[in-house]
Amino acid sequence: MVTALSDVVLSVAPGDHLAIVGPSGAGKSTMLNILGLLDRPSTGEYLFDGEPTSRLSERRRAALRATQIGFVFQAFHLLPARTALENVQLAFLYGAVPRGERVHRARAALDRVGLAHRMSFLPGLLSGGERQRVAIARAVCTGPRLLLADEPTGNLDRANADAVLGLFDELNADGLTLVTITHDQRVADRARRRVRIEQGRATELPRTPDATAPPSVAVQGAAS
Ligand SMILES: Nc1ncnc2c1ncn2[C@@H]1O[C@H](COP(=O)(O)OP(=O)(O)O)[C@@H](O)[C@H]1O
Ligand SMILES: [Mg+2]
């Protein structure tokens, strides 16, 4: 049995912008899966919006995920045979949003991420950065309160990564709580809070506003 996380105490406030850093295998994705109600901690408790979640039914957890939480992953996870607009609408699979409303909100979300002109494109015709923006539109079109991103810029070149980060900053400025796992120091530097996870333990890093950057996460990760 692997203990992926232990003795972790982490509190995320509404409107926070938090980066989770640390080497591979440290427990970062496990942490994000718990925050996203995809996994349950084997011991301890996770409170979502003040509500203990360990005893919630799968049905209730699925409802919270679908309405309150958005997910963005490194590999985009778009369906290749569906257009950008159809992919975004998949966010509404859960629940009873009428079709007209779904289309309207999916269009608005794609417009928001700057892809109004790509709505009818299949993912294969989009650049990596555009695909990730479709995934972000899918994650936010339901109006979640919490956005969880696991290495969202890991497959992107610098220009596309910057576009995604700019979008995250805007969403956070509008009140969306944001937790991003990243190996990229530039991504971590943009967050208001940084938490380092190493061997399953979490430590909040002090803010370093200027040149005194913490040690490179990528270098430490390469050793594991
Ligand atoms: N489903 C699983 N079953 C068993 N071990 C797992 C599972 N998922 C992750 N682990 C282990 O838990 C530890 C933390 O993994 P993970 O959270 O994916 O780390 P990170 O995202 O920081 O690379 C690793 O040792 C990993 O091998
Ligand atoms: Mg991971």
Side-chain angles (χ1 to χ4, degrees):
M1 167 159 159
V2 175
T3 300
L5 293 169
S6 67
D7 293 333
V8 170
V9 178
L10 180 68
S11 176
V12 181
D16 255 355
H17 182 182
L18 194 138
I20 295 180
V21 301
S24 339
K28 303 183 300 296
S29 293
T30 303
M31 185 79 224
L32 209 78
N33 290 342
I34 290 171
L35 294 176
L37 298 171
L38 291 166
D39 257 356
R40 294 171 187 263
S42 35
T43 61
E45 182 59 280
Y46 170 44
L47 280 75
F48 183 82
D49 209 7
E51 184 181 10
T53 57
S54 62
R55 293 180 181 204
L56 295 180
S57 66
E58 277 309 318
R59 189 189 168 87
R60 174 76 184 133
R61 290 161 64 91
L64 284 172
R65 279 198 302 274
T67 58
Q68 312 275 306
I69 305 174
F71 296 90
V72 175
F73 299 99
Q74 176 170 355
F76 320 134
H77 296 316
L78 302 178
L79 295 185
R82 302 288 181 88
T83 65
L85 186 61
E86 289 165 344
N87 266 284
V88 174
Q89 283 186 71
L90 291 174
F92 296 108
L93 269 184
Y94 183 96
V97 182
R99 191 186 130 74
E101 176 72 12
R102 287 200 307 261
V103 175
H104 174 75
R105 283 162 76 173
R107 284 181 178 279
L110 280 166
D111 192 27
R112 168 99 206 239
V113 302
L115 291 178
H117 59 308
R118 294 282 186 266
M119 298 210 194
S120 61
F121 280 51
L122 295 175
L125 293 175
L126 300 174
S127 72
E130 287 172 335
R131 283 181 219 181
Q132 193 59 302
R133 283 188 282 150
V134 172
I136 294 168
R138 182 183 56 194
V140 302
C141 67
T142 55
R145 306 183 56 204
L146 174 63
L147 184 66
L148 300 173
D150 197 341
E151 298 281 3
T153 61
N155 283 351
L156 303 182
D157 63 27
R158 187 162 178 154
N160 279 303
D162 283 342
V164 162
L165 296 176
L167 199 52
F168 278 5
D169 287 345
E170 284 175 31
L171 291 164
N172 179 245
D174 285 350
L176 183 64
T177 307
L178 190 58
V179 179
T180 306
I181 289 180
T182 186
H183 272 99
D184 184 338
Q185 192 61 50
R186 291 183 319 118
V187 179
D189 286 342
R190 284 172 88 133
R192 201 155 34 240
R193 292 172 60 195
R194 281 168 307 142
V195 171
R196 180 171 177 80
I197 295 188
E198 197 155 23
Q199 295 183 346
R201 296 182 187 264
T203 325
E204 182 125 13
L205 301 173
R207 283 304 300 149
T208 48
D210 40 52
T212 48
S216 163
V217 170
V219 171
Q220 296 188 16
S224 64

